[in-house]
Amino acid sequence: MALAIRQLQKHFVGEVSGLDLRVPLTREQAAEVEAAMDKYAVLVFHDQDITDEQQLAFALNFGEREKARGGTVVKKEDYRLTSGLNDVSNLGKDGKPLPRDSRANLFNLGNCLWHSDSSFRPIPAKFSLLSARVVNPKGGNTEFADMRAAYDALDDETKAEIEDMICEHSLMYSRGSLGFLDYSDEEKEMFKPVLQRLVRTHPVHGRKSLYLSSHAGAIKGMSVPEGRLLLRDLTEHATQLEFVYVHKWKLHDLVMWDNRQTVHRVRRYDQSQPRDMRRATVAGTEPTVAQQAAE
């Protein structure tokens, strides 16, 4: 069966049929999927009952695996997954839902804010691939917004104003906006801000997009309140229904998205019920600006 794609939203998102992700991709199939990612920015694959190893093998068609360190407050010895996938569940090492007041759970609530994966790293992520292993019975949809269409819809004056702006991104900004302020000295060092462009240009098709994220907490050359107000206004513009796709998870869905062209967030769900989601992350290859830690 040949690969087929049906567009699900006016601007982006393709639903893929004709691929079994348990089977290694041919070079031609991998090139087709990558071209579809360039075009649609989000791809949905249904009925993919895969192992961690198969998920990671699929992801490695599109680049190297991103190293996990620096994206969580969970210590390595407490990791539930050891397969190389990122744990995006609400589960502890014992396989049970985390206590609501646990530090890991409170930190993970930041995923409910609009963000781009790993924008807090000097070289941010390319693709993310999320597999639904246990679906929460209520809530927990993931929403995606097309940052290319959002950029295109800006007026020329705003485009000119923001063209060369540089932002500071840190997990401490996103979590701090929800009141999570308790960090060890080691975590403060690990989460220190990095610099990212506010406007990115895609390396293949050349379209510009907004590079927004809840991790962005300052704009170089602007006062903190003024910079955060601009970021809030741009995020409000970019996440209008016009630019948003809502994914309602079914068991064994796999959704793949391009962090260079989209932002996403998970919606609230019943934390007492298990939700097992596992993410493979394809590393980016270059920074958006010449990097050093922000001053």
Side-chain angles (χ1 to χ4, degrees), residues 159-173:
K159 288 178 181 176
E161 179 188 7
I162 67 174
E163 175 66 27
D164 296 316
M165 284 185 174
I166 305 295
C167 301
E168 294 182 4
H169 288 235
S170 168
L171 280 165
M172 289 189 289
Y173 291 141

Side-chain angles (χ1 to χ4, degrees), residues 83-110:
S83 58
L85 298 185
N86 301 87
D87 192 355
V88 197
S89 72
N90 67 339
L91 306 176
K93 197 173 183 179
D94 60 2
K96 297 177 181 177
L98 293 162
R100 291 185 70 156
D101 61 352
S102 74
R103 194 163 183 264
N105 189 57
L106 295 174
F107 186 83
N108 290 342
L109 290 176

Side-chain angles (χ1 to χ4, degrees), residues 21-37:
L21 303 187
R22 296 171 299 180
V23 180
L25 267 60
T26 64
R27 187 175 299 178
E28 292 74 20
Q29 287 173 324
E32 255 187 293
V33 172
E34 179 122 21
M37 284 294 289

Side-chain angles (χ1 to χ4, degrees), residues 6-17:
R6 179 173 72 98
Q7 190 160 331
L8 297 181
Q9 203 270 3
K10 176 181 175 183
H11 298 290
F12 71 141
V13 187
E15 182 184 64
V16 181
S17 57

Side-chain angles (χ1 to χ4, degrees), residues 6 8-9 12-16 42-47 114 130-132 135-136 138-145 244-257 263-268 275 277:
R6 179 173 72 98
L8 297 181
Q9 203 270 3
F12 71 141
V13 187
E15 182 184 64
V16 181
V42 178
L43 295 178
V44 177
F45 302 80
H46 295 299
D47 302 316
W114 288 109
L130 192 60
S131 170
V135 176
N136 194 274
K138 184 178 179 184
N141 295 339
T142 300
E143 298 179 347
F144 298 89
V244 170
Y245 162 73
V246 180
H247 186 73
K248 298 178 181 179
W249 290 96
K250 297 176 183 174
L251 186 64
H252 302 316
D253 278 354
L254 183 136
V255 179
M256 179 177 180
W257 64 89
V263 293
H264 64 282
R265 66 178 179 179
V266 64
R267 303 320 310 265
R268 292 176 66 239
R275 182 177 192 265
M277 313 291 281

Side-chain angles (χ1 to χ4, degrees), residues 106-175:
L106 295 174
F107 186 83
N108 290 342
L109 290 176
N111 291 325
C112 294
L113 303 172
W114 288 109
H115 65 285
S116 177
D117 287 339
S118 298
S119 76
F120 53 82
R121 299 182 190 276
I123 297 179
K126 180 185 177 185
F127 295 160
S128 295
L129 303 88
L130 192 60
S131 170
R133 309 298 179 83
V134 176
V135 176
N136 194 274
K138 184 178 179 184
N141 295 339
T142 300
E143 298 179 347
F144 298 89
D146 185 347
M147 295 294 97
R148 308 163 304 180
Y151 175 84
D152 291 345
L154 292 171
D155 60 71
D156 290 343
E157 185 179 350
T158 303
K159 288 178 181 176
E161 179 188 7
I162 67 174
E163 175 66 27
D164 296 316
M165 284 185 174
I166 305 295
C167 301
E168 294 182 4
H169 288 235
S170 168
L171 280 165
M172 289 189 289
Y173 291 141
S174 54
R175 275 47 183 173

Side-chain angles (χ1 to χ4, degrees), residues 19 50 180 249:
L19 271 188
I50 54 175
F180 189 104
W249 290 96

